[in-house]
Amino acid sequence: MIGMARERRLAEIFVEVADSLVEDFDVIDLLQRLSTRCVELLDVSAAGILLADAHGELQIIAASDEHTRLLELFALQHDQGPCIECYRTGTSRTNIDLTRPENTTGWPSFTARARETGYVATHAIPLRLRHRVVGALNLFQTTPHHLGDDDIALAQALADVATIAILQQRTLERSHVENSQLQNALTSRILIEQVKGVLAERWETSVDDAFATFRSYARAHHLRLSDLATQIISGGFNTASIPAPVPERPGEQLG
């Protein structure tokens, strides 16, 4: 009966996650919920999620409680702990007994702080898609008991869902940036076309000559074409400052 309830809850959580994967979902809120769901579904006391930023530096992104958040922050500050090691190697570390020094070599400060917090065992699961690791999920236990293969597989499944959500969010953000840059480029191009027409009429020259002169002036004064065009269209720049192109004499072009 307990198993059926767990399966039902697991199904509800995956449906919840799937419903969250819409264009404007809040990835931080999703990861926060996943950390608390780990505590619901797995026989653990707390969970924390570390995520690598654009520079590859791990940051605490979610935790099931404040004690765990502070412990994860402590691990980052001291650059040690199974979660950091898991991120760097892309390999999970499970059923680590924090009461046995031989299991915690290299993490003396983290282990001491974890024990002070009340944790006696921990597990680190990579947030990984194929060979790309974006962070790690850390699980903590206040009572020593072994997590079986099914629990570890479920933890990895939740970590995989988190990874998909993170990568989708980054793809959307990158798409938005690219779309914004494209829109800015299109808007700037319209302004430049307007300036070409204005200058051609003012100088009584061709649009191509007007643009060539406009572009030469911008380059000579280290101005972006879009910025100079914006100033001209807004009336904030006196086009008399730009030397008008010299009219070609008949036959000059043919040389």
Side-chain angles (χ1 to χ4, degrees):
M1 190 67 182
I2 293 176
M4 290 182 62
R6 189 191 193 213
E7 288 183 3
R8 186 180 301 114
R9 185 63 184 133
L10 178 60
E12 291 173 354
I13 289 172
F14 275 97
V15 169
E16 176 184 272
V17 172
D19 287 343
S20 300
L21 296 179
V22 295
E23 184 173 358
D24 58 348
F25 81 100
D26 185 339
V27 68
I28 295 178
D29 178 62
L30 176 63
L31 296 180
Q32 181 62 44
R33 277 185 286 158
L34 274 178
S35 67
T36 57
R37 300 300 185 241
C38 285
V39 178
E40 287 183 39
L41 291 171
L42 303 167
D43 196 6
V44 299
S45 308
I49 297 176
L50 298 180
L51 187 64
D53 62 17
H55 305 289
E57 300 293 331
L58 284 175
Q59 308 288 338
I60 175 71
I61 193 74
S64 59
D65 59 77
E66 183 62 13
H67 292 301
T68 304
R69 192 189 73 80
L70 293 176
L71 176 59
E72 296 283 36
L73 191 59
F74 182 86
L76 292 175
Q77 290 171 341
H78 289 74
D79 194 31
Q80 59 178 249
C83 208
I84 293 173
E85 186 176 294
C86 173
Y87 166 69
R88 289 174 177 165
T89 63
T91 304
S92 61
R93 291 288 309 273
T94 58
N95 290 304
I96 303 169
D97 187 344
L98 296 174
T99 66
R100 302 174 68 87
E102 63 270 26
N103 294 335
T104 59
T105 303
W107 318 323
S109 299
F110 168 81
T111 302
R113 185 59 177 263
R115 294 295 308 279
E116 290 173 6
T117 308
Y119 301 135
V120 297
T122 187
H123 319 262
I125 309 293
L127 301 183
R128 183 185 59 206
L129 181 62
R130 300 183 182 89
H131 300 295
R132 183 178 179 183
V133 182
V134 299
L137 166 67
N138 223 11
L139 306 172
F140 298 94
Q141 294 170 304
T142 55
T143 56
H145 50 267
H146 189 85
L147 277 191
D149 292 342
D150 289 344
D151 283 327
I152 298 300
L154 176 54
Q156 185 64 66
L158 292 171
D160 291 345
V161 168
T163 304
I164 293 171
I166 292 164
L167 293 180
Q168 172 167 304
Q169 177 73 2
R170 288 181 176 176
T171 299
L172 288 172
E173 288 179 351
R174 186 161 55 246
S175 175
H176 289 158
V177 169
E178 290 171 352
N179 287 338
S180 176
Q181 291 172 337
L182 177 60
Q183 186 57 50
N184 289 337
L186 291 172
T187 302
S188 297
R189 191 66 205 178
I190 292 172
L191 290 175
I192 291 170
E193 292 298 326
Q194 291 176 346
V195 166
K196 286 164 62 177
V198 169
L199 294 179
E201 181 179 4
R202 187 163 302 166
W203 292 331
E204 296 182 346
T205 187
S206 69
V207 171
D208 287 341
D209 286 344
F211 179 59
T213 303
F214 165 75
R215 187 173 58 181
S216 296
Y217 182 88
R219 286 182 175 179
H221 293 79
H222 307 290
L223 297 171
R224 296 175 57 185
L225 293 178
S226 58
D227 292 340
L228 182 56
T230 300
Q231 291 183 53
I232 292 174
I233 294 300
S234 66
F237 183 86
N238 184 2
T239 56
S241 301
I242 305 176
V246 178
E248 292 181 355
R249 290 173 295 182
E252 185 175 10
Q253 188 172 9
L254 297 176

